[in-house]
Amino acid sequence: MKISNTPNNSSTITGFILLGFPCPREGQILLFVLFSAVYLLTLMANGSIICAVRWDQRLHTPMYILLANFSFLEIWYVTSTVPNMLANFLSDNKVISFSGCFLQFYFFFSLGSTECFFLAIMALDRYLAICRPLHYPTLMTGRLCTNLVISCWVLGFLWFLIPIIIISQMSFCGSRIIDHFLCDPGPLLALTCTRVPVIELTSSTLSSLLLFIPFLFIMVSYALVLRAILRIPSAAGQRKAFSTCGSHLAVVSLFYGSVMVMYVSPTSEHEAGMQKIVTLFYSIVTPLINPVIYSLRNKDMKHAMKKLLGT
């Protein structure tokens, strides 16, 4: 992997510069404190859900097992960006090494891909529970649940592997400055010596497929769920069914609403400030909000959390 000031210059540099959020030193320290608190709260909130599911026998069902795995994923998702961002707040040069940049690139997008697949299988679980209640125990078995979880992780970590390897082998010219707080494909491709339309098209296509296929699957699942709920004769039964789906729909809306703005076309021209805000929302804010949504809207989870906290 080579980076030069001009295409014909053989001089190398030691990495990229992540600008992050440029501001005076006092502002950098304030941001460090703020995001440190958000990071710790995210770890605690998602860790609490994992512990609650692990220790409460009533939550040993596919729905909550998937939720615990989702929380585990969220912990790693936020960890792929925040520690490096915190280090940059206190750094004067804000340099990230080549290997560090592309490792962050790989893990951030692989974990994000895994999250898309997880949201889809969680929608499948709700569809089976509401539309096929009598057959649910025989359909959503522990073995199937385990296989679905493993498939999400494997597919997520293979989805962008080849494009990331290819981009990492390209030559980069001119400025090594990335006006972002993470190694994002758009700014990285903008630094390459020559534009490679095939790589840009491949990245855009993979991003579009990754987003729209699970999203359409989720929408179809919930259309069928909604039809089944409306057929429930009692209002209490309808409310209970809606309550089991509301949390997941809220999480899907938060995640997809922000991600689709950015990565349907990863090389499209976005304002740098808007890129950072949108990426900040789905990569750092939503992992903190998600466990709150699931905890507040689910009676069993609230009971398990109170039991865990001893209240």
Side-chain angles (χ1 to χ4, degrees):
M1 183 163 34
K2 181 179 177 180
I3 296 186
S4 57
N5 293 324
T6 64
N8 297 321
N9 191 342
S10 61
S11 64
T12 59
I13 55 179
T14 58
F16 298 101
I17 296 175
L18 289 175
L19 285 185
F21 302 92
C23 61
R25 183 66 177 175
E26 294 77 10
Q28 295 285 308
I29 294 174
L30 180 62
L31 288 173
F32 173 83
V33 173
L34 173 63
F35 284 106
S36 293
V38 170
Y39 181 53
L40 290 175
L41 287 172
T42 302
L43 296 183
M44 291 171 60
N46 285 284
S48 296
I49 285 183
I50 295 172
C51 292
V53 174
R54 173 66 180 84
W55 292 332
D56 194 321
Q57 293 292 327
R58 295 180 305 171
L59 301 185
H60 289 184
T61 62
M63 174 183 173
Y64 294 108
I65 291 172
L66 290 174
L67 178 57
N69 278 275
F70 186 73
S71 292
F72 178 74
L73 167 65
E74 293 283 63
I75 288 174
W76 287 106
Y77 188 45
V78 73
T79 300
S80 68
T81 58
V82 174
N84 182 75
M85 184 171 66
L86 293 176
N88 273 359
F89 286 139
L90 302 180
S91 172
D92 293 326
N93 54 34
K94 303 185 184 303
V95 172
I96 184 171
S97 66
F98 296 150
S99 57
C101 183
F102 283 97
L103 279 173
Q104 184 189 66
F105 185 3
Y106 175 65
F107 280 104
F108 179 71
F109 277 86
S110 296
L111 290 163
S113 302
T114 305
E115 181 157 345
C116 289
F117 295 126
F118 256 105
L119 290 172
I121 65 169
M122 291 169 80
L124 171 65
D125 175 70
R126 291 301 83 206
Y127 162 75
L128 293 175
I130 294 173
C131 298
R132 299 287 186 271
L134 298 179
H135 299 94
Y136 179 74
T138 57
L139 291 173
M140 186 57 75
T141 61
R143 182 176 181 179
L144 176 61
C145 187
T146 300
N147 289 337
L148 288 173
V149 168
I150 293 173
S151 297
C152 286
W153 284 98
V154 173
L155 278 174
F157 275 78
L158 291 178
W159 195 264
F160 281 105
L161 179 61
I162 293 177
I164 290 174
I165 290 175
I166 294 173
I167 294 172
S168 71
Q169 299 303 312
M170 297 172 71
S171 296
F172 297 86
C173 298
S175 171
R176 55 177 174 157
I177 296 174
I178 298 175
D179 191 5
H180 213 308
F181 62 86
L182 55 80
C183 289
D184 195 67
L188 278 173
L189 288 171
L191 295 178
T192 56
C193 296
T194 56
R195 298 294 292 268
V196 184
V198 174
I199 298 300
E200 295 179 3
L201 179 61
T202 301
S203 297
S204 179
T205 302
L206 286 174
S207 296
S208 299
L209 291 174
L210 173 68
L211 292 173
F212 284 114
I213 291 176
F215 183 73
L216 288 175
F217 182 86
I218 292 169
M219 291 300 99
V220 170
S221 297
Y222 275 107
L224 296 173
V225 166
L226 179 61
R227 187 179 67 174
I229 290 175
L230 293 176
R231 291 178 177 176
I232 298 175
S234 67
Q238 289 183 351
R239 284 195 299 270
K240 182 178 180 181
F242 271 122
S243 68
T244 64
C245 301
S247 301
H248 186 247
L249 280 174
V251 170
V252 169
S253 300
L254 287 172
F255 182 76
Y256 275 96
S258 54
V259 172
M260 282 186 174
V261 173
M262 294 299 301
Y263 293 113
V264 171
S265 179
T267 57
S268 61
E269 296 296 329
H270 297 291
E271 290 290 336
M274 181 59 67
Q275 279 188 337
K276 295 177 189 178
I277 292 171
V278 176
T279 307
L280 193 69
F281 184 80
Y282 72 78
S283 65
I284 297 175
V285 177
T286 56
L288 173 62
I289 296 175
N290 290 348
V292 177
I293 293 173
Y294 280 116
S295 298
L296 292 179
R297 294 185 59 89
N298 187 290
K299 291 182 179 180
D300 291 336
M301 181 56 67
K302 282 195 289 187
H303 182 272
M305 294 291 282
K306 288 180 180 179
K307 184 178 178 182
L308 177 68
L309 298 173
T311 58

